[in-house]
Amino acid sequence: MEPAKTLEPIPGTIIFDGAMAVKGYALNKMCYTFNGAAGRQEFLADEDAYCAKFGLTPEQTKAIKERNVLALLDNGGNIYYLAKFIGMLGLNVQDIGAQQTGMSVEEFKAKLVAAGH
Amino acid sequence: MARIVGGITTSHIPAIGNAISRELFEDPYWKPFFDGYPRAREWLDEVKPDVAIVVYNDHGLNFFLDKMPTFAIGAAPQYTNDDEGWGLQPLPPYQGDPELSWHIINSLVADEFDICSCQEMLVDHGFTVPMSLMWPDRSKMAVKSIPVAVNTVQHPLPTPARCFKLGQAIGRAVASFPKDLKVVVLGTGGLSHQLDGQRAGFINKEFDLMCMEKIVSDPEALTRYSIHDLVRLAGAQGAELILWLIMRGTMTGTVSKVHSNYHIPISNTGAGLLVLENAV
């Protein structure tokens, strides 16, 4: 059977497929180490050195430094591994939802509540 | 012989784990969610299952992109969780049932499901949050568990139709196990939610409620969606509906609804709870 044909894009959504998994491998590998306290400490002690250790591209390193979730996703970041990075910073999924949609956190939370009405 | 006595669906959001540890059961935000669970626990107390098969997705604790199995089944004597990046405290280990695990693994491969078997496997919130919701008092928890991890991290994800068939094959495997065991299957995750991209915060109540109905009465209707359909209709992480379809596939008897609850929002998610009985 042939692989699926090109699918109609879903606005505001990146499908994390093989191409994205290749593009983001180093970035996601770094984020995977944030499961452990040792990885988190080493990153926080010297962010540039830690990004270099994993061979992140300049775009990925910039997105990490700026905590820019949309740029991290564009550069192959996978939300489940990025969640380790986000969690380490003390942010939750409403915080990054607000960042990605250009809303305040309160506005974003209100949007979620409104979905129930 | 072993038999599947029923199935339960529940969300597995990490924030639920935090709310449990902070005992926010009466908090106005959490109460409509937690109030759904006592009835599920009553049912479990009545049925007293020996084993829980827990269908979940690993969120980057046990599996990385270097090796990403589509379907992985635990075959360990016990399972532990671990820090997932935000300093989670370890929970007491969950007892496994290696004998039943290997029976299921053997049966599935004979049935042409070439799954990955895991003698060591860390379980993350996708597994532990549902267990904490169902069996909050670990000192009284006698049930053993078998984790079934499904790739929802990296596309291609297994299709809804394939997942339903896997559930049916797990059901056949359990039914052919020679010991008298009562097995409950937990389908975790969902319902609609999207964490990533400009579309973050997408929730589709109408679709969720349709799924809550169809998963009971007409699960085949849900198997006709593609993964891309699910991402469009239920959000990027709403594709976790495939975990519910595996649960539903295991039940081949007369399935009836014992209890349900649906609440928006818990974190970014429409949270659906169902307790289904599988009568012979």
Side-chain angles (χ1 to χ4, degrees):
Chain A
M1 188 176 164
E2 284 179 52
K5 302 278 188 293
T6 304
L7 297 163
E8 191 180 333
I10 300 167
T13 305
I14 294 174
I15 301 293
F16 187 83
D17 59 6
M20 293 308 285
V22 170
K23 187 177 184 180
Y25 194 80
L27 169 61
N28 291 314
K29 191 167 180 176
M30 181 180 83
C31 291
Y32 185 60
T33 69
F34 298 150
N35 274 316
R40 300 196 291 269
Q41 284 160 9
E42 191 177 337
F43 172 83
L44 292 170
D46 188 341
E47 296 192 13
D48 284 325
Y50 205 66
C51 289
K53 178 177 172 178
F54 284 87
L56 267 60
T57 65
E59 293 79 12
Q60 289 169 337
T61 305
K62 181 168 182 281
I64 284 282
K65 289 175 80 88
E66 292 175 352
R67 279 70 170 131
N68 184 333
V69 175
L70 289 177
L72 288 167
L73 293 167
D74 280 340
N75 283 285
N78 176 283
I79 190 62
Y80 295 112
Y81 302 107
L82 293 179
K84 318 291 181 186
F85 175 58
I86 292 154
M88 169 175 68
L89 301 172
L91 302 173
N92 65 32
V93 291
Q94 283 83 53
D95 296 323
I96 64 157
Q99 187 198 97
Q100 294 175 95
T101 55
M103 295 180 185
S104 70
V105 175
E106 289 313 311
E107 285 167 344
F108 186 75
K109 286 182 177 173
K111 168 188 154 86
L112 296 169
V113 170
H117 298 151
Chain B
M1 304 298 271
R3 77 182 185 89
I4 290 176
V5 292
I8 294 177
T9 70
T10 174
S11 289
H12 62 212
I13 306 159
I16 300 169
N18 298 338
I20 291 171
S21 60
R22 293 167 60 200
E23 300 185 355
L24 299 178
F25 310 118
E26 297 298 321
D27 178 276
Y29 180 88
W30 287 100
K31 188 172 170 53
F33 171 78
F34 282 121
D35 277 358
Y37 285 85
R39 180 67 192 101
R41 291 177 204 134
E42 276 172 28
W43 181 80
L44 286 168
D45 284 343
E46 290 160 20
V47 173
K48 294 186 176 55
D50 302 293
V51 180
I53 295 175
V54 184
V55 185
Y56 74 108
N57 56 303
D58 179 80
H59 305 73
L61 175 66
N62 192 67
F63 295 114
F64 181 60
L65 304 173
D66 58 337
K67 304 171 196 74
M68 183 56 69
T70 298
F71 299 119
I73 299 190
Q78 64 176 32
Y79 304 95
T80 54
N81 74 328
D82 205 350
D83 186 355
E84 296 180 39
W86 42 86
L88 285 177
Q89 294 304 307
L91 296 164
Y94 297 88
Q95 294 307 305
D97 187 340
E99 190 186 359
L100 179 56
S101 285
W102 282 111
H103 175 83
I104 292 172
I105 290 162
N106 290 334
S107 176
L108 287 178
V109 175
D111 222 350
E112 301 182 351
F113 280 90
D114 306 316
I115 44 78
C116 172
S117 57
C118 302
Q119 289 207 62
E120 289 188 48
M121 188 179 203
L122 289 171
V123 289
D124 76 359
H125 63 268
F127 176 98
T128 63
V129 165
M131 295 299 270
S132 298
L133 286 167
M134 296 306 147
W135 291 279
D137 186 350
R138 291 295 303 276
S139 66
K140 290 181 186 161
M141 180 181 169
V143 73
K144 294 177 175 179
S145 54
I146 298 178
V148 176
V150 179
N151 167 35
T152 66
V153 169
Q154 174 183 275
H155 290 248
L157 315 185
T159 65
R162 183 66 173 159
C163 288
F164 189 66
K165 286 178 189 165
L166 173 66
Q168 292 173 318
I170 292 172
R172 287 191 290 274
V174 169
S176 67
F177 189 64
K179 286 189 178 172
D180 282 329
L181 290 180
K182 288 180 283 189
V183 177
V184 66
V185 184
L186 270 53
T188 77
L191 281 162
S192 61
H193 62 303
Q194 177 153 343
L195 306 176
D196 48 334
Q198 294 90 340
R199 197 175 182 239
F202 177 83
I203 294 178
N204 186 344
K205 181 180 182 180
E206 193 182 343
F207 183 77
D208 286 353
L209 293 175
M210 183 277 292
C211 289
M212 298 273 293
E213 186 194 322
K214 292 287 183 190
I215 198 85
V216 184
S217 59
D218 185 15
E220 282 87 354
L222 301 176
T223 68
R224 291 193 276 276
Y225 290 111
S226 67
I227 288 291
H228 203 69
D229 291 334
L230 293 184
V231 173
R232 190 177 66 250
L233 291 164
Q237 285 75 40
E240 288 171 356
L241 182 68
I242 59 178
L243 310 174
W244 289 33
L245 280 166
I246 293 173
M247 176 282 298
R248 183 62 181 83
T250 65
M251 295 193 289
T252 51
T254 305
V255 175
S256 55
K257 183 167 79 178
V258 176
H259 175 61
S260 70
N261 190 44
Y262 178 77
H263 178 66
I264 293 177
I266 287 301
S267 189
N268 288 23
T269 306
L273 168 68
L274 278 170
V275 179
L276 305 179
E277 205 155 48
N278 183 39
V280 182

